Amino acid sequence: MPREQRVPAPVRPAARAFSPWARRAAEQALRAGPVYLLALSSRSQISRDGDDSDGAGNDLHRALVAIAPGYPKRVTMTGSRLGRRGPHTVLAFSTNGATHCTVSGLDVSCRPRLFREVRALRLPPGRGWRLVETELVIPRTGCFRIVARGPGLRAVIPLAVPGPDWRATHS
């Protein structure tokens, strides 16, 4: 699995603000082409500690997507579990931001709220860095692939979600 890379300097303030409790880890991202995924991962594995649920058995995991200025065209992001498609294998994304979290000393407090979820997150064209706060709606554990597509672009970001398999916990 790929290692995270430090995000470019213009993205670091937004990354630290998005996950102020993580400090250095907040500046690390999985990258494919002009697309960066900041999800507090390590060797492409995210930690679901403290993640909320959407009430349908899906975990909600905060993520910040950054699109580099060198790619100003529209981007559509989708995600799915590796292997055969079936129930609980497609990722979704929130279209109305991410959970807001505050930090007090060592305590991180996140206010749960309702999200509008879509299977394809569409990012309009733009100049400069495009930063999008979202919640990854994760249907089960395993290895996933997030694909960012646009005119002349197909970037694939692998993402692992460790833990017991969905079938073992929902049979």
Side-chain angles (χ1 to χ4, degrees), residues 5-152:
Q5 300 176 19
R6 191 163 188 211
V7 296
V11 178
R12 290 180 199 147
R16 286 190 295 266
F18 186 68
S19 300
W21 60 90
R23 299 191 191 258
R24 273 208 178 131
E27 296 180 7
Q28 301 294 313
L30 293 167
R31 177 182 179 209
V35 181
Y36 294 80
L37 178 70
L38 294 85
L40 295 182
S41 58
S42 175
R43 292 189 183 201
S44 77
Q45 293 186 27
I46 64 168
S47 170
R48 295 178 304 140
D49 294 345
D51 284 356
D52 283 324
S53 170
D54 68 356
N58 300 311
D59 287 328
L60 299 173
H61 187 80
R62 299 173 83 245
L64 179 66
V65 176
I67 310 293
Y71 189 82
K73 301 171 185 171
R74 68 176 163 72
V75 174
T76 301
M77 298 184 72
T78 58
S80 62
R81 192 171 195 254
L82 298 181
R84 289 190 328 244
R85 293 182 82 94
H88 305 283
T89 59
V90 177
L91 286 176
F93 304 85
S94 75
T95 60
N96 58 333
T99 301
H100 178 73
C101 299
T102 57
V103 180
S104 177
L106 297 175
D107 293 328
V108 178
S109 177
C110 300
R111 270 183 290 136
R113 64 184 179 92
L114 296 175
F115 293 100
R116 288 186 300 276
E117 300 172 3
V118 295
R119 292 184 181 214
L121 182 63
R122 296 180 196 329
L123 310 176
R127 296 178 186 226
W129 281 97
R130 287 180 281 163
L131 304 173
V132 178
E133 295 181 3
T134 189
E135 292 278 339
L136 297 177
V137 182
I138 303 169
R140 63 191 291 187
T141 59
C143 293
F144 289 82
R145 158 180 47 231
I146 295 177
V147 180
R149 289 184 176 88

